[in-house]
């Protein structure tokens, strides 16, 4: 009986020891977990063109992204003599490009400053508007062209009672909202100053004459 009881006690002692060791190890593990800094949650990288932040691109966002990249791309602008100038739409137009644009309007200015009928000058103005939009397409820059035009000195003046005035045409804004330069002025320098103020950083002001 004594021998059997000793074996039983030994087994119980071993079991208790194992349990205590296991509990101690578990406690150590819990303490280590408690002391460990929390694992940072990885922040997903922003998706280019994801305007609403939902992590995917809609058809509109895809088209918008493609257009934005195309609008910002550096352009190769060919001068009249065949020289190619690189134009960055985020920068003002290089001097060589500005001079080339002035030359493109030479025929228009010959008409606007002549003594032709007023409706002929008005029709030429539309030609000039189309031309500035072509400049925008070629350079990626919005342009405001300041130019001289012969005009009646007053609404009731006769055909020979004329004066030279300064006005402007500009490329169509991207948002489609109408935009016009300042009202005409007989003072060239005063008009250029007003046009430059109105144009701000959005338009390159190019003076013809």
């Amino acid at each position: 009986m004594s021998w059997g009881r000793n074996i039983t006690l030994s087994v119980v002692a071993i079991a208790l020891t194992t349990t205590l060791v296991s509990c101690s190890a578990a406690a150590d593990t819990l303490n280590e977990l408690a002391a460990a800094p929390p694992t940072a949650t990885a922040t997903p990288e922003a998706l280019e063109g994801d305007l609403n932040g939902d992590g995917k691109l809609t058809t509109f966002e895809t088209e918008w992204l493609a257009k934005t990249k195309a609008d910002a791309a550096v352009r190769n602008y060919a001068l009249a003599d065949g020289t190619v100038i690189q134009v960055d739409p985020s920068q003002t137009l290089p001097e060589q490009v500005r001079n080339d644009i002035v030359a493109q309007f030479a025929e228009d200015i010959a008409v606007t400053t002549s003594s032709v009928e007023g409706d002929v000058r008005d029709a030429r103005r539309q030609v000039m508007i189309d031309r500035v939009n072509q400049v925008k397409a070629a350079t990626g820059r919005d342009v405001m062209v300041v130019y001289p035009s012969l005009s009646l000195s007053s609404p009731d003046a006769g055909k020979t009672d004329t004066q030279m005035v300064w006005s402007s045409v500009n490329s169509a804004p991207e948002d489609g909202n109408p935009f016009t330069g300042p009202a005409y002025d007989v003072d060239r320098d005063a008009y250029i100053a007003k046009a430059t103020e109105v144009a701000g950083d959005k338009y390159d002001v190019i003076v013809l004459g």
Side-chain angles (χ1 to χ4, degrees):
M1 290 293 295
S2 176
W3 179 75
R5 186 167 53 251
N6 288 340
I7 293 176
T8 300
L9 291 174
S10 296
V11 171
V12 171
I14 292 172
L16 288 173
T17 301
T18 302
T19 300
L20 291 173
V21 170
S22 298
C23 290
S24 177
D28 290 341
T29 300
L30 290 174
N31 289 334
E32 290 174 0
L33 290 174
T39 303
T41 302
T43 302
E45 292 185 9
L47 180 61
E48 186 178 15
D50 182 14
L51 301 178
N52 59 11
D54 65 354
K56 56 186 177 181
L57 295 183
T58 63
T59 300
F60 169 80
E61 289 170 334
T62 300
E63 294 174 349
W64 174 86
L65 179 60
K67 184 178 185 307
T68 299
K69 288 186 174 182
D71 289 345
V74 174
R75 319 294 176 89
N76 288 326
Y77 183 93
L79 303 179
D81 63 2
T83 303
V84 176
I85 302 292
Q86 285 199 323
V87 177
D88 183 345
S90 67
Q91 305 296 321
T92 56
L93 291 172
E95 192 66 26
Q96 304 100 307
V97 175
R98 298 174 70 91
N99 292 337
D100 185 79
I101 294 171
V102 170
Q104 292 180 38
F105 285 88
E107 181 181 336
D108 302 318
I109 299 307
V111 174
T112 64
T113 57
S114 69
S115 57
V116 297
E117 294 291 334
D119 56 348
V120 175
R121 286 194 296 273
D122 291 342
R124 178 58 61 162
R125 178 181 172 86
Q126 184 57 54
V127 171
M128 296 172 69
I129 291 174
D130 293 340
R131 202 183 303 282
V132 292
N133 285 325
Q134 291 169 6
V135 169
K136 176 180 179 178
T139 64
R141 295 285 298 178
D142 274 302
V143 176
M144 179 186 290
V145 171
V146 174
Y147 70 97
S149 179
L150 198 64
S151 175
L152 295 178
S153 57
S154 72
D156 300 324
K159 290 184 178 181
T160 59
D161 187 8
T162 58
Q163 62 183 349
M164 197 67 69
V165 300
W166 290 85
S167 185
S168 62
V169 291
N170 55 269
S171 53
E174 196 65 38
D175 58 13
N177 293 322
F179 175 88
T180 57
Y184 74 86
D185 199 314
V186 296
D187 187 321
R188 174 184 182 275
D189 293 338
Y191 190 87
I192 292 173
K194 290 188 292 186
T196 301
E197 181 180 1
V198 170
D201 296 331
K202 184 175 181 181
Y203 285 79
D204 281 302
V205 177
I206 298 177
V207 181
L208 309 179

